[in-house]
Amino acid sequence: MDKFVIRGGHPISGVIPISGSKNAALPIMAASILAEGVVTLENVPCIADVTDMEFLLSEMGTQVTTLGNGKYGKTLKLSTCNFKSKVVSYDIVSRMRASILILGPLLAKYRFAQVSLPGGCSIGARPVGFHLNALSKMGARIKLQKGYITATAPVRGLKGADITFPTTTVTGTENILMAATLAKGETIIRNAACEPEVSDLAEFLVNMGADIEGIGTKTLRIRGVEHLTGTAHYVLPDRIETGTYAIAAALTGGELKLKSTKLILLKSVVEFLNAAGVGVTEEHDGLIIKKLDPIKSVDIITNPYPGFPTDMQAPAMTLMCTASGTSVVTENIFDNRFMHALELNRMGADIYAHGPTAVIKGVEKLSGAPVMASDLRAGAALVLAGLAAEGETVVDRIYHVDRGYEQMEEKLRGCGADIQRES
Ligand code: EPU
């Protein structure tokens, strides 16, 4: 298993190009199943989750071609004319929960899907009942057997329905949005997630010929169409990668230019950074991040967009570890997303986590230690801590980090970090 060996204490300064968004690329790749024709996707991040989604789609019969590989990111051509399988195995779902995003498009286009039921997850229960209830309302027959979801649509296809999600769900909204594009009649999704990644998917579907109203709001109205065509799309920048590197600059007292990203995508994170004493300036091609004052403690409450993103909670907690004063982090989205807190304590942090709350008393400095990533964002938080800590930090299980950050060590090394990958 690969590890990062980090010798901390170097300011992270320079330019980091921000990659395309993982959580936009994955549903858009899944949505390519709906197209009659070729889909071309630009700015797709080269990360393990995308490789897994490419594998999943090719196993089913999609022809996946990589057109251009820049220094970061790639262009993918997806052509689904020879579709042969509608089954997603446990093997792939256990590696990538986002495989559940295949359910909606498969059912809409082929009226049948069999997807392994995702199991437990290190950040919380993460059930998919809301997806399944909504698909049932659209006429699908759902059976749970032998660890698989088997879903069958009526002979004439799914039908439009009025759906209210009890809790905002990102992939739930995306699954139903995709399913509704080819359903008979109108679907209304209430309490829809309005994360930028959901809007990017919706824009992509509209370019394919879908009829969607209310993009970016909590109510989406979709009138089903007969078919969708191929199209080209440029995946939006990754706001969580942007926020993660912004914290690297703030923590180490460096100055970073984050290229090809936009402030509008992460307003709540910028408010947090500003309150902590970090300057964020927008330029035409990206953001400049600079620590202006000693870092102050700021409370964080995670919420669905436009609230503070749960995916930024762990990296932001690392920043709070050496802030002056005490901050309280409230995690409202997932029920077990503080695994990084115990690892940060091993590096000298003072965090008390209980239930949905963590109390962080700022300490003067962190010190290097061997630590272990338990999930993608926890891993990122530990890398950030290693960059700021005195001495050597070894972050184990960085396959979690590789799932969602494109060449993290190379991007950081280019800005002065002492970070090596060891196998
Ligand atoms: N929920 C249910 N039942 C459901 C669906 C969701 O109870 O049927 C609950 C979840 O357990 C959770 C809450 O609703 O407590 C919200 O979960 P959501 O469904 O929104 O999460 P998700 O769609 O599984 C996506 C991202 C996550 C991100 C969350 C929240 C993708 C591929 N994944 O997950 O990204 O944390 O939304 O914003 O888009 C990451 O990138 O590190 C990551 C975990």
Side-chain angles (χ1 to χ4, degrees), residues 22-23 126-130 169-171 311 333-334 337 377:
K22 164 177 90 75
N23 289 348
R126 303 187 77 183
V128 292
F130 301 160
T169 161
V170 173
T171 50
D311 294 342
I333 307 294
F334 292 112
R337 212 173 195 183
R377 309 303 172 186

Side-chain angles (χ1 to χ4, degrees), residues 309-379:
T310 173
D311 294 342
M312 277 301 301
Q313 181 256 106
M317 188 183 286
T318 301
L319 184 62
M320 291 299 96
C321 285
T322 50
S324 61
T326 299
S327 52
V328 178
V329 175
T330 310
E331 171 56 57
N332 281 323
I333 307 294
F334 292 112
D335 50 25
N336 185 31
R337 212 173 195 183
F338 286 142
M339 298 282 273
H340 46 284
L342 292 173
E343 298 298 295
L344 288 169
N345 282 348
R346 302 190 61 253
M347 299 179 70
D350 183 349
I351 306 170
Y352 172 71
H354 184 69
T357 309
V359 178
I360 303 117
K361 287 191 190 143
V363 295
E364 204 154 300
K365 58 178 193 323
L366 295 174
S367 44
V371 286
M372 200 176 281
S374 53
D375 75 88
L376 169 59
R377 309 303 172 186

Side-chain angles (χ1 to χ4, degrees), residues 19 25 51 119 121 180-181 222 351 355 367 376 408:
S19 298
T51 310
C121 175
T181 54
I222 308 107
I351 306 170
S367 44
L376 169 59
M408 185 184 237

Side-chain angles (χ1 to χ4, degrees), residues 10-16 248-249 252-257 289 411-417:
H10 305 277
I12 304 300
S13 290
V15 181
I16 296 186
T252 61
E255 180 172 337
L256 268 187
K257 163 115 188 209
I289 316 291
K411 289 189 181 186
L412 286 169
R413 243 191 336 255
C415 292

